Amino acid sequence: GAGVSQSPSNKVTEKGKDVELRCDPISGHTALYWYRQSLGQGLEFLIYFQGNSAPDKSGLPSDRFSAERTGGSVSTLTIQRTQQEDSAVYLCASSFTGDRGFGYTFGSGTRLTVV
Amino acid sequence: AQSVSQHNHHVILSEAASLELGCNYSYGGTVNLFWYVQYPGQHLQLLLKYFSGDPLVKGIKGFEAEFIKSKFSFNLRKPSVQWSDTAEYFCALTPGTAGNKLTFGGGTRVLVKP
């Protein structure tokens, strides 16, 4: 597609429920990233997929967070047993591998509110 | 591990004023440096980048940044701001020549009063 698409754009969920956030990267981009943007916290790296390599999960804050990327394209970020501190905007970006960050294209994000 | 710090969290200035946003990083090796901007209601966009060569880089919309290796800094400047420059600005880096993972600073919210 023309850009990185994320869905839903907004999600309100009750504490303790599981949520799934979806990211459709730009066609042909081999690298995909998830970041979390919290008020006053900047952008926090969560996870990074590069081609067929094992993902870099070093930024996932707890084992309640997981992500997968099927067929090297669409990615789903899952948060289990959501907590109020999970409320944030979750951003997805994609790029060509090895472009050193020049070609990052960000989606508009999913605003998650845990009540 | 690398880190990026932005000194100012909020900046308020009037149109035509000059803008300078500070950015310092911590990393022991070669870095690639970026400034991203997020306008209200829009997604993050790349303003400018530094990989190597001339340490003064020019980006879109009249922005420029200077890489000072001895100070581990990459400050963003614009000589004369406009109301439309109201946005949040993020400094970021990737390490080395093969790193893809961006590490961001905490961001600076800039409000330009008309």
Side-chain angles (χ1 to χ4, degrees), chain B residues 4-9 21-24 35 89-92 104-108:
Chain B
V4 179
S5 62
Q6 294 179 239
H7 316 299
N8 310 100
H9 298 296
L21 303 181
C23 172
N24 284 88
W35 277 95
Y89 294 81
F90 294 91
C91 184
F104 286 90
T108 299

PDB file of all heavy atoms in Angstrom, chain B residues 4-9 21-24 35 89-92 104-108:
ATOM      1  N   VAL B   4      19.333   8.675  23.976  1.00  0.00           N
ATOM      2  CA  VAL B   4      19.190  10.022  23.407  1.00  0.00           C
ATOM      3  C   VAL B   4      18.446  10.873  24.413  1.00  0.00           C
ATOM      4  O   VAL B   4      17.425  10.441  24.962  1.00  0.00           O
ATOM      5  CB  VAL B   4      18.402   9.977  22.080  1.00  0.00           C
ATOM      6  CG1 VAL B   4      18.234  11.391  21.520  1.00  0.00           C
ATOM      7  CG2 VAL B   4      19.095   9.084  21.066  1.00  0.00           C
ATOM      8  N   SER B   5      18.950  12.072  24.657  1.00  0.00           N
ATOM      9  CA  SER B   5      18.256  12.969  25.576  1.00  0.00           C
ATOM     10  C   SER B   5      18.001  14.310  24.914  1.00  0.00           C
ATOM     11  O   SER B   5      18.844  14.845  24.194  1.00  0.00           O
ATOM     12  CB  SER B   5      19.051  13.148  26.869  1.00  0.00           C
ATOM     13  OG  SER B   5      20.302  13.728  26.601  1.00  0.00           O
ATOM     14  N   GLN B   6      16.821  14.816  25.154  1.00  0.00           N
ATOM     15  CA  GLN B   6      16.430  16.135  24.651  1.00  0.00           C
ATOM     16  C   GLN B   6      16.195  17.029  25.851  1.00  0.00           C
ATOM     17  O   GLN B   6      15.419  16.690  26.742  1.00  0.00           O
ATOM     18  CB  GLN B   6      15.179  16.028  23.781  1.00  0.00           C
ATOM     19  CG  GLN B   6      15.441  15.245  22.506  1.00  0.00           C
ATOM     20  CD  GLN B   6      14.201  15.116  21.635  1.00  0.00           C
ATOM     21  OE1 GLN B   6      13.763  14.011  21.344  1.00  0.00           O
ATOM     22  NE2 GLN B   6      13.637  16.240  21.219  1.00  0.00           N
ATOM     23  N   HIS B   7      16.833  18.160  25.849  1.00  0.00           N
ATOM     24  CA  HIS B   7      16.895  18.964  27.062  1.00  0.00           C
ATOM     25  C   HIS B   7      15.598  19.658  27.392  1.00  0.00           C
ATOM     26  O   HIS B   7      15.246  19.835  28.543  1.00  0.00           O
ATOM     27  CB  HIS B   7      17.997  20.014  26.925  1.00  0.00           C
ATOM     28  CG  HIS B   7      19.256  19.460  26.344  1.00  0.00           C
ATOM     29  ND1 HIS B   7      19.961  18.455  26.947  1.00  0.00           N
ATOM     30  CD2 HIS B   7      19.912  19.736  25.196  1.00  0.00           C
ATOM     31  CE1 HIS B   7      21.020  18.161  26.203  1.00  0.00           C
ATOM     32  NE2 HIS B   7      21.006  18.914  25.144  1.00  0.00           N
ATOM     33  N   ASN B   8      14.908  20.116  26.362  1.00  0.00           N
ATOM     34  CA  ASN B   8      13.692  20.881  26.584  1.00  0.00           C
ATOM     35  C   ASN B   8      12.476  20.008  26.313  1.00  0.00           C
ATOM     36  O   ASN B   8      12.387  19.375  25.266  1.00  0.00           O
ATOM     37  CB  ASN B   8      13.646  22.096  25.651  1.00  0.00           C
ATOM     38  CG  ASN B   8      14.924  22.889  25.682  1.00  0.00           C
ATOM     39  OD1 ASN B   8      15.767  22.757  24.805  1.00  0.00           O
ATOM     40  ND2 ASN B   8      15.061  23.686  26.722  1.00  0.00           N
ATOM     41  N   HIS B   9      11.550  20.015  27.261  1.00  0.00           N
ATOM     42  CA  HIS B   9      10.324  19.256  27.027  1.00  0.00           C
ATOM     43  C   HIS B   9       9.277  20.104  26.312  1.00  0.00           C
ATOM     44  O   HIS B   9       8.494  19.588  25.517  1.00  0.00           O
ATOM     45  CB  HIS B   9       9.781  18.751  28.365  1.00  0.00           C
ATOM     46  CG  HIS B   9      10.710  17.823  29.063  1.00  0.00           C
ATOM     47  ND1 HIS B   9      11.053  16.601  28.539  1.00  0.00           N
ATOM     48  CD2 HIS B   9      11.381  17.934  30.220  1.00  0.00           C
ATOM     49  CE1 HIS B   9      11.888  15.992  29.360  1.00  0.00           C
ATOM     50  NE2 HIS B   9      12.114  16.777  30.385  1.00  0.00           N
ATOM     51  N   LEU B  21      16.682  23.381  19.278  1.00  0.00           N
ATOM     52  CA  LEU B  21      16.330  22.277  20.162  1.00  0.00           C
ATOM     53  C   LEU B  21      17.568  21.419  20.391  1.00  0.00           C
ATOM     54  O   LEU B  21      18.227  20.998  19.446  1.00  0.00           O
ATOM     55  CB  LEU B  21      15.214  21.426  19.556  1.00  0.00           C
ATOM     56  CG  LEU B  21      13.929  22.159  19.197  1.00  0.00           C
ATOM     57  CD1 LEU B  21      12.897  21.184  18.640  1.00  0.00           C
ATOM     58  CD2 LEU B  21      13.372  22.893  20.404  1.00  0.00           C
ATOM     59  N   GLY B  22      17.835  21.163  21.657  1.00  0.00           N
ATOM     60  CA  GLY B  22      19.031  20.408  21.997  1.00  0.00           C
ATOM     61  C   GLY B  22      18.814  18.902  21.938  1.00  0.00           C
ATOM     62  O   GLY B  22      17.730  18.400  22.242  1.00  0.00           O
ATOM     63  N   CYS B  23      19.851  18.196  21.530  1.00  0.00           N
ATOM     64  CA  CYS B  23      19.832  16.740  21.503  1.00  0.00           C
ATOM     65  C   CYS B  23      21.229  16.239  21.797  1.00  0.00           C
ATOM     66  O   CYS B  23      22.188  16.641  21.117  1.00  0.00           O
ATOM     67  CB  CYS B  23      19.371  16.224  20.143  1.00  0.00           C
ATOM     68  SG  CYS B  23      19.544  14.436  19.932  1.00  0.00           S
ATOM     69  N   ASN B  24      21.343  15.391  22.782  1.00  0.00           N
ATOM     70  CA  ASN B  24      22.613  14.734  23.080  1.00  0.00           C
ATOM     71  C   ASN B  24      22.406  13.226  23.086  1.00  0.00           C
ATOM     72  O   ASN B  24      21.325  12.754  23.427  1.00  0.00           O
ATOM     73  CB  ASN B  24      23.166  15.177  24.430  1.00  0.00           C
ATOM     74  CG  ASN B  24      23.763  16.550  24.361  1.00  0.00           C
ATOM     75  OD1 ASN B  24      23.070  17.540  24.540  1.00  0.00           O
ATOM     76  ND2 ASN B  24      25.047  16.619  24.074  1.00  0.00           N
ATOM     77  N   TRP B  35      16.246  13.685  13.019  1.00  0.00           N
ATOM     78  CA  TRP B  35      15.182  14.439  13.659  1.00  0.00           C
ATOM     79  C   TRP B  35      13.876  14.100  12.940  1.00  0.00           C
ATOM     80  O   TRP B  35      13.791  14.154  11.708  1.00  0.00           O
ATOM     81  CB  TRP B  35      15.425  15.946  13.578  1.00  0.00           C
ATOM     82  CG  TRP B  35      16.333  16.458  14.641  1.00  0.00           C
ATOM     83  CD1 TRP B  35      17.685  16.671  14.559  1.00  0.00           C
ATOM     84  CD2 TRP B  35      15.962  16.831  15.973  1.00  0.00           C
ATOM     85  NE1 TRP B  35      18.166  17.149  15.753  1.00  0.00           N
ATOM     86  CE2 TRP B  35      17.138  17.258  16.634  1.00  0.00           C
ATOM     87  CE3 TRP B  35      14.756  16.852  16.674  1.00  0.00           C
ATOM     88  CZ2 TRP B  35      17.126  17.700  17.957  1.00  0.00           C
ATOM     89  CZ3 TRP B  35      14.756  17.288  17.980  1.00  0.00           C
ATOM     90  CH2 TRP B  35      15.936  17.711  18.605  1.00  0.00           C
ATOM     91  N   TYR B  89       8.902  17.392  18.348  1.00  0.00           N
ATOM     92  CA  TYR B  89      10.130  17.071  17.625  1.00  0.00           C
ATOM     93  C   TYR B  89      10.909  16.012  18.402  1.00  0.00           C
ATOM     94  O   TYR B  89      11.096  16.126  19.608  1.00  0.00           O
ATOM     95  CB  TYR B  89      10.989  18.326  17.439  1.00  0.00           C
ATOM     96  CG  TYR B  89      10.326  19.349  16.538  1.00  0.00           C
ATOM     97  CD1 TYR B  89       9.356  20.202  17.032  1.00  0.00           C
ATOM     98  CD2 TYR B  89      10.659  19.427  15.195  1.00  0.00           C
ATOM     99  CE1 TYR B  89       8.730  21.129  16.213  1.00  0.00           C
ATOM    100  CE2 TYR B  89      10.047  20.352  14.361  1.00  0.00           C
ATOM    101  CZ  TYR B  89       9.075  21.196  14.874  1.00  0.00           C
ATOM    102  OH  TYR B  89       8.453  22.100  14.050  1.00  0.00           O
ATOM    103  N   PHE B  90      11.361  15.003  17.662  1.00  0.00           N
ATOM    104  CA  PHE B  90      12.074  13.892  18.273  1.00  0.00           C
ATOM    105  C   PHE B  90      13.448  13.716  17.623  1.00  0.00           C
ATOM    106  O   PHE B  90      13.555  13.621  16.407  1.00  0.00           O
ATOM    107  CB  PHE B  90      11.301  12.574  18.092  1.00  0.00           C
ATOM    108  CG  PHE B  90       9.998  12.525  18.812  1.00  0.00           C
ATOM    109  CD1 PHE B  90       8.830  12.928  18.185  1.00  0.00           C
ATOM    110  CD2 PHE B  90       9.934  12.069  20.127  1.00  0.00           C
ATOM    111  CE1 PHE B  90       7.615  12.871  18.854  1.00  0.00           C
ATOM    112  CE2 PHE B  90       8.727  12.011  20.799  1.00  0.00           C
ATOM    113  CZ  PHE B  90       7.564  12.416  20.156  1.00  0.00           C
ATOM    114  N   CYS B  91      14.445  13.644  18.459  1.00  0.00           N
ATOM    115  CA  CYS B  91      15.786  13.296  18.020  1.00  0.00           C
ATOM    116  C   CYS B  91      15.934  11.778  18.157  1.00  0.00           C
ATOM    117  O   CYS B  91      15.357  11.169  19.062  1.00  0.00           O
ATOM    118  CB  CYS B  91      16.800  14.012  18.908  1.00  0.00           C
ATOM    119  SG  CYS B  91      18.513  13.796  18.439  1.00  0.00           S
ATOM    120  N   ALA B  92      16.678  11.167  17.251  1.00  0.00           N
ATOM    121  CA  ALA B  92      16.804   9.705  17.292  1.00  0.00           C
ATOM    122  C   ALA B  92      18.129   9.273  16.676  1.00  0.00           C
ATOM    123  O   ALA B  92      18.744  10.025  15.915  1.00  0.00           O
ATOM    124  CB  ALA B  92      15.645   9.048  16.537  1.00  0.00           C
ATOM    125  N   PHE B 104      14.857   6.771  20.327  1.00  0.00           N
ATOM    126  CA  PHE B 104      14.352   8.130  20.339  1.00  0.00           C
ATOM    127  C   PHE B 104      14.634   8.838  21.647  1.00  0.00           C
ATOM    128  O   PHE B 104      14.694   8.211  22.717  1.00  0.00           O
ATOM    129  CB  PHE B 104      12.829   8.125  20.128  1.00  0.00           C
ATOM    130  CG  PHE B 104      12.398   7.829  18.722  1.00  0.00           C
ATOM    131  CD1 PHE B 104      12.170   6.530  18.307  1.00  0.00           C
ATOM    132  CD2 PHE B 104      12.200   8.863  17.811  1.00  0.00           C
ATOM    133  CE1 PHE B 104      11.764   6.253  17.009  1.00  0.00           C
ATOM    134  CE2 PHE B 104      11.787   8.597  16.516  1.00  0.00           C
ATOM    135  CZ  PHE B 104      11.573   7.293  16.119  1.00  0.00           C
ATOM    136  N   GLY B 105      14.742  10.154  21.565  1.00  0.00           N
ATOM    137  CA  GLY B 105      14.715  10.988  22.744  1.00  0.00           C
ATOM    138  C   GLY B 105      13.271  11.179  23.199  1.00  0.00           C
ATOM    139  O   GLY B 105      12.333  10.699  22.561  1.00  0.00           O
ATOM    140  N   GLY B 106      13.110  11.892  24.305  1.00  0.00           N
ATOM    141  CA  GLY B 106      11.794  12.040  24.891  1.00  0.00           C
ATOM    142  C   GLY B 106      10.881  13.022  24.178  1.00  0.00           C
ATOM    143  O   GLY B 106       9.695  13.115  24.504  1.00  0.00           O
ATOM    144  N   GLY B 107      11.417  13.748  23.216  1.00  0.00           N
ATOM    145  CA  GLY B 107      10.599  14.675  22.452  1.00  0.00           C
ATOM    146  C   GLY B 107      10.549  16.070  23.057  1.00  0.00           C
ATOM    147  O   GLY B 107      10.712  16.248  24.264  1.00  0.00           O
ATOM    148  N   THR B 108      10.353  17.047  22.198  1.00  0.00           N
ATOM    149  CA  THR B 108      10.166  18.443  22.620  1.00  0.00           C
ATOM    150  C   THR B 108       8.911  18.974  21.945  1.00  0.00           C
ATOM    151  O   THR B 108       8.817  18.946  20.717  1.00  0.00           O
ATOM    152  CB  THR B 108      11.358  19.333  22.227  1.00  0.00           C
ATOM    153  OG1 THR B 108      12.537  18.854  22.854  1.00  0.00           O
ATOM    154  CG2 THR B 108      11.106  20.777  22.655  1.00  0.00           C
TER     155      THR B 108
END
